[in-house]
Amino acid sequence: MPKKKVNVIQLKEMKQAGQKFHMVTAYDYPTAMLVDKSEVELILVGDSLGMTVLGYSNTVPVTMEEMLHHIKAVVRGAPNTFIVGDMPFGSYNESKEQAIRNATRIMKEGGADCVKLEGGQEVAEIVQAIVKAGIPVMGHIGLTPQTVSQLGGFKVQGKDAEGARKLIDDAKSLEQAGAFSVVVECVPTPISKLITEKVSIPTLGIGAGIECDAQVLVFHDMMGLFERFTPKFVKQYANLSPVIVDALNTWVKEVRAGEFPEEKHSFTFKAEGLDRLY
Ligand code: KIV
């Protein structure tokens, strides 16, 4: 039986019931179809696509048009999975109007079930405005890749009491602004545990230990499809890169040896007059 798409109310209920849930990235139709067949409840069409599938060195160059292109493909492939559409850098910080306009595009043109954006207290008013416009918002605190240069690199966040206090305040202000959940990235386990206890909305951890209400991973990291670097918090559940390279090389070998295509991969010509064509 196909799974049934979850909704934001059920996700909050799952937190209350202590039932963990899962979110994985997908950026295209075939991957979305695979995730849709699995028990994973949420897909994030993350701006990490800038690095994993578009080859940028970070997420900053990703545009609204690129996000919409990928969100639409994922939505077509995963009708039974809740789809989170990431708002790219520069698409929500100018004004509430700009944020509402772009969040609306992600829902209306992209077909996503909610939007996600990065930041804590500094984006609370923007989150509130998007929520007031009727769009569910997932927050994202801790290591926020879009502002990584401000953070001084890809580093664990909340490592001292002051930093940890800021993260707790960030999570609380997102909750107050109406966000229905929050991603917590690269944060020590005791701090993500505190955050999870102090807010009523579900926390989705990536590099934030076991105490969050849900876990997130990037598909290309967990499947061994992105070899540029692998963060410490990633567990590889499959190593597909060598499998794919081997398959490609076997094909090359068989074509060179005249072993592919075989008759079963070819079409016959049954009509008369083949000899006259020579
Ligand atoms: O863009 C993304 O994939 C993300 C995850 C790292 C949470 O924001």
Side-chain angles (χ1 to χ4, degrees):
M1 207 171 75
K3 68 186 176 193
K4 205 164 172 288
K5 194 192 272 212
V6 291
N7 59 48
V8 296
I9 309 290
Q10 286 168 327
L11 294 174
K12 280 193 188 171
E13 287 168 358
M14 284 164 92
K15 175 183 176 108
Q16 280 153 15
Q19 194 183 333
K20 300 242 178 197
F21 58 92
H22 317 79
M23 178 164 86
V24 69
T25 60
Y27 316 113
D28 58 28
Y29 180 72
T31 312
M33 287 206 295
L34 291 173
V35 180
D36 209 47
K37 278 191 203 167
S38 78
E39 293 175 37
V40 171
E41 296 91 346
L42 282 80
I43 289 179
L44 167 63
V45 190
D47 62 354
S48 53
L49 66 84
M51 297 164 84
T52 49
V53 299
L54 299 181
Y56 298 141
S57 56
N58 56 49
T59 59
V60 171
V62 177
T63 64
M64 270 300 292
E65 302 313 317
E66 285 166 339
M67 286 309 303
L68 285 169
H69 178 76
H70 288 272
I71 292 168
K72 285 181 195 174
V74 169
V75 167
R76 287 191 288 268
N80 303 311
T81 309
F82 186 95
I83 314 282
V84 182
D86 222 354
M87 299 196 69
F89 181 69
S91 70
Y92 55 92
N93 309 78
E94 266 172 43
S95 63
K96 289 180 195 166
E97 290 71 25
Q98 182 217 22
I100 294 172
R101 191 168 53 249
N102 284 323
T104 304
R105 288 192 73 193
I106 287 176
M107 303 293 284
K108 208 167 162 159
E109 294 175 43
D113 296 299
C114 79
V115 300
K116 175 172 89 59
L117 56 85
E118 295 184 7
Q121 294 150 82
E122 68 283 7
V123 294
E125 281 189 14
I126 281 171
V127 168
Q128 194 174 34
I130 299 175
V131 173
K132 269 196 185 155
I135 299 171
V137 177
M138 178 181 281
H140 183 160
I141 59 170
L143 175 57
T144 44
Q146 291 176 6
T147 44
V148 76
S149 15
Q150 254 180 352
L151 300 175
F154 289 90
K155 291 181 186 156
V156 179
Q157 302 297 304
K159 277 173 85 174
D160 56 20
E162 195 191 337
R165 164 59 55 204
K166 182 185 176 308
L167 288 179
I168 294 167
D169 291 345
D170 281 343
K172 282 186 176 167
S173 61
L174 290 173
E175 178 186 30
Q176 268 161 25
F180 76 92
S181 61
V182 59
V183 169
V184 181
E185 180 165 354
C186 249
V187 168
T189 307
I191 308 310
S192 62
K193 179 174 189 288
L194 265 176
I195 296 170
T196 302
E197 286 165 1
K198 283 180 183 286
V199 294
S200 65
I201 56 175
T203 56
L204 299 95
I206 177 161
I210 198 166
E211 303 286 349
C212 292
D213 298 305
Q215 290 293 321
V216 197
L217 276 179
V218 170
F219 183 89
H220 288 63
D221 289 339
M222 73 186 291
M223 298 302 171
L225 283 170
F226 186 67
E227 293 177 316
R228 226 158 69 192
F229 67 87
T230 310
K232 168 186 154 77
F233 56 76
V234 168
K235 178 169 175 187
Q236 241 184 36
Y237 284 84
N239 192 10
L240 299 186
S241 284
V243 176
I244 293 170
V245 175
D246 274 1
L248 289 169
N249 285 338
T250 305
W251 175 60
V252 167
K253 209 172 87 209
E254 289 188 0
V255 170
R256 282 184 185 147
E259 292 167 2
F260 179 87
E262 296 170 47
E263 254 182 57
K264 64 181 176 194
H265 307 117
S266 312
F267 301 100
T268 52
F269 181 80
K270 292 213 176 97
E272 286 185 11
L274 179 60
D275 49 345
R276 289 200 300 276
L277 298 174
Y278 284 98

